[in-house]
Amino acid sequence: MTRTIGYIVGSISSTSINRRLARVLTNLAPEGTELVEIEIKDLPFYSPDFDGDFPQVATDFKKAIAAVDGVIIVTPEYSRSIPGVLKNALDWSTRPYGEMSFFGKPVAVIGASGSGVATAAAQQHLRAILGHFSAITMGQPEGFIQDRPGLFTEDGQVTDDSTAGFLVGYLEAFNGLISRVQHSAELVNA
């Protein structure tokens, strides 16, 4: 059985460190696990004006979240929080009213930055948002990756064995969370 994990990159920059991190995660995915991107760059700015005529791009975004077993959010940190483009996508995920895409969905949070504290403040804000959504957010391990020149290659390789080992363990832990959530759902539905 193949497990599908979606990932959202919280940056639309073509040179994003976090996009490179997402490529690394994709390459390190355990056997039987496929990582697929859930894109956010084409979502318009959310406004309640759209609620009566929900755009197809937003419907596709919500369907992509529903179609995966779990979601990894790979976020940079902008001004001690998450980027506006990511917050916009999260707002779309809660619309139309009462249709929260992340409700009960296993979610992992990770991010890279050149800073020594990496994306800790952004991840704290993101976890608060996900808590409001009733997402099942992985608590440990936390993924604060300090980037340095050459750590991630453009083709999605990681050049440091310690970082590679951590990321493999991170993916294994998230797979474990997904398995526990799926098992619990099976018990409830039995």
Side-chain angles (χ1 to χ4, degrees), residues 67-153:
V68 296
D69 298 304
V71 176
I72 299 173
I73 301 177
V74 186
T75 187
E77 182 170 300
Y78 291 1
S79 303
R80 298 283 187 238
S81 190
I82 62 173
V85 68
L86 177 56
K87 179 60 168 76
N88 182 60
L90 295 171
D91 289 341
W92 276 109
S93 79
T94 67
R95 301 295 190 255
Y97 182 79
E99 296 182 25
M100 296 178 76
S101 300
F102 285 100
F103 185 88
K105 182 72 69 173
V107 180
V109 177
I110 193 168
S113 161
S115 163
V117 294
T119 59
Q123 288 188 43
Q124 181 181 20
H125 287 179
L126 182 53
R127 288 174 186 279
I129 294 166
L130 292 167
H132 175 69
F133 293 173
S134 292
I136 302 170
T137 307
M138 184 169 79
Q140 296 293 327
E142 295 177 302
F144 309 125
I145 308 299
Q146 184 178 9
D147 185 46
R148 60 184 185 279
L151 180 62
F152 304 132
T153 65

Side-chain angles (χ1 to χ4, degrees), residues 3 5 35 56 75 88 93 97 99 115 135-136 150 156 167 175 178 183 188:
R3 171 167 290 153
I5 296 174
L35 270 67
Q56 187 62 46
T75 187
N88 182 60
S93 79
Y97 182 79
E99 296 182 25
S115 163
I136 302 170
L167 294 173
N175 260 314
I178 293 169
H183 180 70
V188 168

